[in-house]
Amino acid sequence: MTNHTLVINCGSSSLKFALIDAASQRTTVTGIAEKLGLADACISFKQDGKKVELTLAQGDHAGAMKAILSYFDERELTGSVIAIGHRVVHGGETFKQSTLIDDSVIAAIEDCARLAPLHNPAHLLGIRTAMACFPGLPQVAVFDTAFHQSMPEQAYLYAVPMALYREHGVRRYGFHGTSHRFVTAEAAAMLGKPLAESAFVCAHLGNGASVAAVLNGKSVDTSMGLTPLEGLVMGTRCGDIDPGIFGYLAAELNTDIQGVTDILNKQSGLLGLSELSSDCRELEEAAAAGHVGAQIALEVFAYRLAKQIAAMTVALGRLDALLFTGGIGENSPLLRAKVIKLLGFLGLALDPAANDATFRGKAGRITRDGGTPALVINTNEELMIALDTAVLCEPAA
């Protein structure tokens, strides 16, 4: 029988999952439960190219997990599940790598919830629900922040009173670590270069976006900070901004800090600039049709991204390759071309034909031979979680 790892990414109103054979790196089932907590909660399963959609009679996270278990039972898959891996956004300074979950780990994830109040409580709900539905199976937490714990002090410290760091954990943590770790390893293999002798800037571009400087397989800097709001322009997040704007807008709009935070997280970025959409595909179509707001949004996105990439080379000392990944990074030849044009001084020269042909699952080099490579690589965070889980749970299996 094939041994499977069940990978779970639990949100406040959703639960994404994948059943993966870590040995063959084959995904057997994927799916998502959505609108949890609402009357129209539903769940979908995709297997062998076929999709099954169901309403959830019990429309909460426990109901979703029971539906997953029922689906596995009907297809005789339950017995193949040997471990469960959970995506956890924030591990603070406590977790520098993936770890088997026990009571002390759960307590530490709870303690980090103050740093990720929208994410960690949902992840804990997923962990506890999985433990109830799959009693006795080993479970692993894989942290978005863990990969960036190798950053040096000059990269992660803010220039604020050190007491704020010591007593309240105010520092830069970084996110998307699982994706950056997977993609840089794939890039080293693609280039035939030892990961331990590499210097990559990895751009994970989606509704949330970040760049990371990865030297010899270790993160030495990244664009996101204490929260995922810092750094690049994103779908609805502003990215880097003058912190004085918080007080200014609170006074101007007669709101509080939370009100300003909501604006900067949910109404800004591509959506705020374009006044049209947070979806890059829609913006590219609108820009081509002459929509000025969409054009401006894409130009700002590309310019700010190029600036961050260039800044990351300071942490590396050289650039062996620029890596694009994530929904936008993998599927937007237009934005990749804009960014590479701005970064010609780093030895990057676009191969337009290769760039235009690289999307929808296609990976490869998009720059001309002889210069610095830029690669498009398909990320697979679920597989990375499954691989970590398999390694940690091997004795138990």
Side-chain angles (χ1 to χ4, degrees):
M1 177 183 291
T2 300
N3 289 332
H4 283 110
T5 296
L6 176 59
V7 175
I8 293 173
N9 181 357
C10 192
S12 59
S13 61
S14 66
L15 192 157
K16 296 179 183 178
F17 57 93
L19 191 65
I20 298 174
D21 173 15
S24 67
Q25 300 191 7
R26 177 178 178 270
T27 299
T28 302
V29 182
T30 61
I32 183 170
E34 299 178 280
K35 301 180 181 179
L36 299 179
L38 301 176
D40 55 346
C42 59
I43 189 168
S44 63
F45 301 85
K46 188 174 182 180
Q47 183 178 5
D48 297 326
K50 299 178 181 178
K51 190 172 183 179
V52 176
E53 297 184 16
L54 305 169
T55 57
L56 288 172
Q58 181 184 345
D60 57 9
H61 290 78
M65 197 67 72
K66 289 176 183 177
I68 294 169
L69 185 57
S70 176
Y71 181 93
F72 290 172
D73 283 343
E74 291 172 4
R75 290 154 182 81
E76 299 183 344
L77 291 168
T78 304
S80 72
V81 182
I82 61 168
I84 300 176
H86 297 267
R87 180 212 179 194
V88 180
V89 164
H90 221 305
E93 291 186 319
T94 303
F95 298 102
K96 295 178 172 58
Q97 59 190 10
S98 303
T99 186
L100 280 163
I101 296 173
D102 57 20
D103 289 344
S104 65
V105 170
I106 289 175
I109 295 172
E110 286 179 330
D111 185 56
C112 289
R114 75 190 195 282
L115 297 170
L118 299 179
H119 295 92
N120 277 30
H123 300 322
L124 287 164
L125 180 59
I127 290 169
R128 292 184 172 117
T129 303
M131 285 179 164
C133 287
F134 294 89
L137 285 187
Q139 311 220 13
V140 168
V142 180
F143 300 90
D144 280 13
T145 52
F147 182 59
H148 300 299
Q149 282 297 298
S150 53
M151 288 193 297
E153 285 182 329
Q154 68 263 29
Y156 72 71
L157 286 176
Y158 287 118
V160 297
M162 285 296 289
L164 296 177
Y165 165 55
R166 290 191 299 267
E167 299 168 21
H168 302 285
V170 176
R171 54 157 284 179
R172 303 180 67 251
Y173 291 96
F175 299 90
H176 296 138
T178 306
S179 176
H180 289 304
R181 181 159 59 104
F182 179 84
V183 167
T184 49
E186 290 287 297
M190 187 181 292
L191 293 171
K193 189 176 189 66
L195 183 62
E197 300 173 11
S198 63
F200 299 137
V201 173
C202 180
H204 177 105
L205 309 175
N207 194 50
S210 69
V211 293
V214 183
L215 184 63
N216 303 329
K218 296 183 182 297
S219 174
V220 290
D221 205 349
T222 190
S223 58
M224 283 182 168
L226 174 75
T227 75
L229 186 59
E230 186 181 353
L232 304 175
V233 172
M234 304 176 222
T236 62
R237 299 177 197 150
C238 62
D240 286 346
I241 200 165
D242 179 352
I245 285 177
F246 278 85
Y248 176 77
L249 286 183
E252 287 288 307
L253 303 178
N254 193 27
T255 186
D256 57 12
I257 293 298
Q258 186 57 54
V260 177
T261 300
D262 287 343
I263 292 170
L264 300 181
N265 266 302
K266 301 175 182 178
Q267 301 173 35
S268 301
L270 291 172
L271 175 63
L273 285 166
S274 69
E275 299 183 303
L276 178 66
S277 175
S278 63
D279 189 294
C280 186
R281 292 163 297 185
E282 291 183 30
L283 293 179
E284 289 187 17
E285 292 176 3
H291 191 286
V292 175
Q295 293 169 352
I296 291 171
L298 294 173
E299 291 299 329
V300 172
F301 181 96
Y303 175 70
R304 292 274 293 274
L305 172 57
K307 280 178 62 177
Q308 284 278 6
I309 291 168
M312 289 295 152
T313 63
V314 173
L316 298 175
R318 69 180 195 277
L319 181 63
D320 291 340
L322 169 61
L323 317 177
F324 291 98
T325 193
I328 297 173
E330 295 171 27
N331 296 298
S332 178
L334 174 69
L335 280 172
R336 295 194 304 251
K338 288 180 180 292
V339 171
I340 288 173
K341 183 178 180 180
L342 290 167
L343 294 172
F345 64 92
L346 292 176
L348 293 152
L350 187 72
D351 181 333
N355 183 47
D356 290 344
T358 308
F359 65 105
R360 294 182 183 173
K362 296 180 182 177
R365 180 169 176 151
I366 59 171
T367 47
R368 296 172 187 159
D369 294 340
T372 304
L375 310 176
V376 175
I377 297 179
N378 301 311
T379 192
N380 194 333
E381 293 168 274
E382 291 79 11
L383 177 58
M384 191 81 261
I385 293 170
L387 292 172
D388 277 10
T389 301
V391 169
L392 288 168
C393 297
E394 190 173 359

